[in-house]
Amino acid sequence: MEQQLKYSMDLNEKYESKAVLHDHNYTQLSLNLYDSKAENEELIKENYSLHLKITELNNILYDQNEEKTALEETIESLKQSVSHCWNKIQTYKNTIAVFEDKTILLEKANNDLESYLNEKVHSLKEELNNKVEETAFFKEMSEDFITQIKWLNNTIEVYRGEVDEDTIRRVEYTVQQ
């Protein structure tokens, strides 16, 4: 019995030391749990703070995406405007080319007309000079004719002695024509 008592005491002591150890472990676990809980609360606060920052960044990102979309639409609109302007420029270039071609044709036609008119003026000058020469020739012939008529009149007066007024009028009429 003593032995059993001793054995029981040893067992009791062993269980007590285990119980103390168990209490110590439990206390340590409780402290660790309390520390973990405090850390968790701190992490939760940090997590919430990070969540707020992420939400704020998401809002900024959303705004930037909307700005980006608006800018892309503006860029697309500007591209269409630039394309439209390039088309107009090309149309103007084509129109200018047509006008340049027409200007060249008009200049050629003008040069041809000028050449034709110069030839015509030269031809008319020659014709006018010919007419002037003919007129001078006829004037000279008329003067010769008048001289001859006067000579004939004088000759008639000499041969007949006297010339009647009708003959004088006919000679004057013929001279006037």
Side-chain angles (χ1 to χ4, degrees):
M1 241 206 160
E2 236 182 75
Q3 243 184 356
Q4 201 173 16
L5 188 59
K6 185 172 177 172
Y7 176 74
S8 290
M9 281 177 84
D10 283 340
L11 266 177
N12 191 22
E13 198 176 293
K14 182 178 175 189
Y15 286 127
E16 274 184 18
S17 91
K18 279 187 178 183
V20 168
L21 183 60
H22 188 297
D23 280 346
H24 174 70
N25 284 342
Y26 178 76
T27 304
Q28 190 62 39
L29 281 174
S30 288
L31 288 174
N32 285 345
L33 183 62
Y34 181 76
D35 288 344
S36 290
K37 187 177 177 185
E39 283 178 20
N40 281 343
E41 285 177 3
E42 193 63 34
L43 286 174
I44 288 171
K45 286 179 185 176
E46 278 184 38
N47 192 15
Y48 182 71
S49 175
L50 287 174
H51 175 71
L52 291 177
K53 286 182 181 179
I54 288 171
T55 302
E56 182 182 339
L57 289 173
N58 279 337
N59 289 338
I60 291 171
L61 185 62
Y62 178 78
D63 291 344
Q64 287 179 347
N65 280 337
E66 284 190 0
E67 287 177 17
K68 178 185 172 195
T69 302
L71 286 173
E72 286 173 348
E73 289 172 0
T74 302
I75 288 170
E76 188 60 34
S77 174
L78 288 173
K79 282 181 181 178
Q80 290 175 357
S81 294
V82 166
S83 176
H84 182 68
C85 288
W86 277 114
N87 290 340
K88 279 188 174 184
I89 288 170
Q90 190 59 45
T91 301
Y92 291 144
K93 282 182 179 179
N94 292 342
T95 303
I96 288 170
V98 167
F99 282 129
E100 287 173 348
D101 291 345
K102 286 184 178 183
T103 301
I104 290 169
L105 291 175
L106 285 173
E107 285 175 355
K108 185 180 182 309
N110 189 30
N111 290 338
D112 291 347
L113 180 63
E114 189 176 343
S115 294
Y116 171 76
L117 290 176
N118 286 337
E119 288 176 17
K120 196 70 170 168
V121 165
H122 181 69
S123 173
L124 289 173
K125 279 183 181 178
E126 284 182 8
E127 195 175 318
L128 185 61
N129 286 338
N130 290 340
K131 295 283 183 191
V132 166
E133 286 176 8
E134 284 179 21
T135 304
F137 174 74
F138 287 126
K139 183 179 177 187
E140 190 177 309
M141 284 184 67
S142 296
E143 288 172 357
D144 285 347
F145 184 66
I146 290 171
T147 304
Q148 287 177 2
I149 289 176
K150 284 181 183 176
W151 182 78
L152 283 174
N153 280 339
N154 289 336
T155 305
I156 289 171
E157 283 180 33
V158 168
Y159 286 113
R160 289 200 181 161
E162 165 178 323
V163 177
D164 63 17
E165 289 183 26
D166 285 337
T167 306
I168 293 172
R169 276 191 228 130
R170 275 185 289 182
V171 169
E172 286 177 351
Y173 177 74
T174 305
V175 169
Q176 286 175 357
Q177 285 182 350

